[in-house]
Structures are given as C-alpha cells and as structure tokens.
Amino acid sequence: MCQQAHGLALPSWASPDVLRTLAQISALDIGAHVGPPRAAEKAQLTGGILLDAILANFSRAQRLGLPLKMVMYSAHDSTLLALQGALGLYDGHTPPYAACLGFEFRRRLGDPEQDAGNVTISLFYRNDSASRPLSLSLPGCPGPCPLGRFRQLTAQARPPIHGVPCHSSREPPALAAPVVPLLGGAVAVLAALSVGLGLLAWRPSCLHTWEDPV
C-alpha cells in the first residue's frame, strides 16, 4: 500500500488478483478483531482505550478552561481500525495511506453554560488526500451528536472506570468472602482429627496389642 501511494514499482508477484485476494483476507482478519462476536468486550481492550482518552482530554480542557484547540494522535492503520471498531464505523475496508479520523467538539453559540448538554460531537473521516473529509454519524445518533448521548452510546466500548476484568464474564463467580474462613476452619478440624487418630494408633500399648498372636 505504501509503495503504491509513493508511485513505486510493485513486486512481480503482486498482480491485481493477488492484491485483491490479500485485501479480502485482511478484511476477514480485521473483522474478527473488531467485529462480532463480543465486539464491545474486544473494543474495551483496543480502540475503546483511545476513544476514552479522546473524551477525557476534551473533558479536562473544558473543566480547566484550557486554551486547547486541537489534539493530534499519530497512529498506525491498525489503531485507526480499532477506533473505527469501537465506534461501530468499520466498513470492511482498510484505511488508506495517510487516512485520518477527526472528532470535532462544538458548543452552541449563545449558551452561557458549558456542560455536556450544550456540546456536540461531529465525526469526519479523510480517506483521500485529494478530497474533503467525509462526514460520519455514530450509529444511533445521526448528525452532530450531543456529548452526553455520545458517551452513552459508546459506554460499552470504553473501558469501565475500575478497569477491564482479566477473567471472562462467563467464568463462575468467586466464592463469597465469609465462605473462605469456614472452609479453612473445616480443613483445620479435619487435619487435627487426622493427627489425633494417628497418635492414638501408634501408642506403645496399641503396638503391643498388635504384636500378640491372633
């Protein structure tokens, strides 16, 4: 892809049919990473982290009144794909060379308050340097999306406040805390009984009895 973008000659094996097949294989691989099943859970470990950072940067600038106008991230195409997956905007195509995904935060003019209810987010995707960026819509919120609604729709794709759990949600829940001391006490009692019975069995009188002929 980079060679094509810079007008360099491709290897002899890179025929149109081979490139088309590779593109199809790549689309299947990407879809498995950012799409179903359990797309939201996968997004929490990939593109949802970057999405959460973008929203956090805006909230911080808004809360502290910083004169921040733009934040730029330099990333690989795989990072952009993960972000598209977290937003539910992956369309099966690999981002072209120098692609860009933009978030535009706007506050309605005339509103004295600067809370989330007055702020909207617009998404733009530039996949061709010779054309203007495309306007995108978050699924479930067409047009400029209110910030509160945007957060609500992307909550499942962003990491939870306390971090992503390392175990699967399908694993059985851990034993309740009060059960652990009870199990420990039961094991201790059984161990004490075993030791007591062992000492009783090996007393000299018992040995003398066992040595007598039957």
Side-chain angles (χ1 to χ4, degrees), residues 16-212:
D17 289 339
V18 170
L19 294 179
R20 190 179 305 109
T21 301
L22 291 176
Q24 294 172 350
I25 295 174
S26 177
L28 290 174
D29 178 65
I30 295 169
H33 282 82
V34 303
R38 306 171 75 175
E41 185 175 345
K42 288 184 284 189
Q44 292 179 1
L45 300 169
T46 54
I49 299 175
L50 177 56
L51 176 59
D52 199 51
I54 293 173
L55 295 175
N57 278 335
F58 172 76
S59 297
R60 179 174 177 272
Q62 184 185 34
R63 183 177 65 256
L64 300 179
L66 301 178
L68 188 64
K69 297 297 182 182
M70 179 181 292
V71 176
M72 297 184 66
Y73 295 88
S74 177
H76 295 283
D77 55 350
S78 57
T79 309
L80 195 57
L81 283 167
L83 183 57
Q84 289 178 339
L87 292 168
L89 296 175
Y90 174 63
D91 60 357
H93 295 86
T94 303
Y97 194 56
C100 176
L101 181 60
F103 293 70
E104 184 180 61
F105 296 84
R106 284 182 175 269
R107 182 170 58 88
R108 292 198 299 266
L109 295 177
D111 289 331
E113 301 294 334
Q114 296 186 14
D115 57 8
N118 299 322
V119 176
T120 60
I121 300 180
S122 298
L123 300 174
F124 299 94
Y125 183 46
R126 186 172 186 177
N127 59 356
D128 187 350
S129 299
S131 304
R132 295 180 61 85
L134 302 174
S135 179
L136 303 179
S137 295
L138 185 72
C141 193
C145 186
L147 179 57
R149 178 64 173 163
F150 188 94
R151 289 184 180 276
Q152 180 184 10
L153 291 174
T154 60
Q156 294 297 321
R158 292 183 284 115
I161 297 177
H162 300 294
V164 180
C166 295
H167 60 80
S168 171
S169 58
R170 299 181 181 180
E171 293 180 2
L175 293 175
V179 177
V180 176
L182 292 177
L183 290 177
V187 171
V189 171
L190 291 175
L193 289 175
S194 299
V195 173
L197 292 174
L199 293 175
L200 181 62
W202 288 100
R203 287 174 54 189
S205 58
C206 295
L207 290 175
H208 178 73
T209 303
W210 291 346
E211 291 173 357
D212 291 339

